[in-house]
Amino acid sequence: MRKLTIKSKLIALILIMGISPVLLTVTMNYFMTSYSFNSLQNDDQTQLEQIVMTQIQQEQNNLQAAVQSLATTPEIVALLQASNRADIEPKAEALFKKLQQEQQLAVFELGDANGKVHIRGHQISQAGDDKSDSKAIQATLAGDVLSG
């Protein structure tokens, strides 16, 4: 077996002492960069989630305000009070088309206090069905304001 000379030992020691801090620094930089990047991504995602939730809440509030104001318009009150379907249908259809353009409505139904559908704007020939078993209708009839 060959003995290492002092010169060889000294060179090996200098190399180890020079490479160890470099490896340690590179490893620490990698982990710190990775951690920082993940933290930034998580912070951005949380912030974006809060922005989206705020916008959704604002849209729900706007829709609730629009529905509450629509519920008291003379056109809708007249539709609910009318008893002759021949008079109701063209007015309801015209009102639905107007609201469809203004509010992008897909469904328009007016019902009584028992959950019975009085008139449908989107399917004008169909009415009279009982929706009182629907949880959304039950909540609305109980006075809760819903949107979604």
Side-chain angles (χ1 to χ4, degrees), residues 122-137:
H122 61 287
Q123 294 175 334
I124 204 72
S125 63
Q126 296 179 3
D129 54 323
D130 186 8
K131 291 200 166 191
S132 61
D133 59 337
S134 166
K135 290 183 181 182
I137 299 297

Side-chain angles (χ1 to χ4, degrees), residues 50-120:
Q50 290 173 348
I51 290 169
V52 168
M53 292 303 292
T54 301
Q55 288 176 340
I56 288 172
Q57 185 64 43
Q58 287 174 344
E59 190 63 31
Q60 283 180 337
N61 292 342
N62 292 342
L63 287 172
Q64 287 174 355
V67 168
Q68 287 176 339
S69 70
L70 282 173
T72 58
T73 60
E75 292 172 296
I76 292 180
V77 173
L79 287 175
L80 286 170
Q81 292 174 343
S83 59
N84 185 355
R85 286 214 46 92
D87 292 338
I88 296 172
E89 287 180 2
K91 292 177 183 175
E93 193 170 16
L95 180 60
F96 173 63
K97 287 181 181 179
K98 175 184 165 187
L99 292 174
Q100 195 175 25
Q101 289 177 350
E102 291 175 359
Q103 305 290 333
Q104 291 82 38
L105 289 183
V107 175
F108 177 70
E109 297 177 348
L110 297 176
D112 62 17
N114 298 319
K116 183 177 177 184
V117 177
H118 185 63
I119 190 83
R120 276 192 174 87

Side-chain angles (χ1 to χ4, degrees), residues 17-84:
M17 288 178 60
I19 291 175
S20 296
V22 171
L23 287 176
L24 182 64
T25 303
V26 168
T27 304
M28 290 298 294
N29 281 341
Y30 170 76
F31 285 114
M32 292 302 292
T33 303
S34 178
Y35 174 77
S36 297
F37 181 71
N38 288 336
S39 292
L40 284 174
Q41 273 189 320
N42 290 339
D43 290 347
D44 287 348
Q45 185 175 357
T46 302
Q47 186 178 18
L48 183 61
E49 182 180 328
Q50 290 173 348
I51 290 169
V52 168
M53 292 303 292
T54 301
Q55 288 176 340
I56 288 172
Q57 185 64 43
Q58 287 174 344
E59 190 63 31
Q60 283 180 337
N61 292 342
N62 292 342
L63 287 172
Q64 287 174 355
V67 168
Q68 287 176 339
S69 70
L70 282 173
T72 58
T73 60
E75 292 172 296
I76 292 180
V77 173
L79 287 175
L80 286 170
Q81 292 174 343
S83 59
N84 185 355

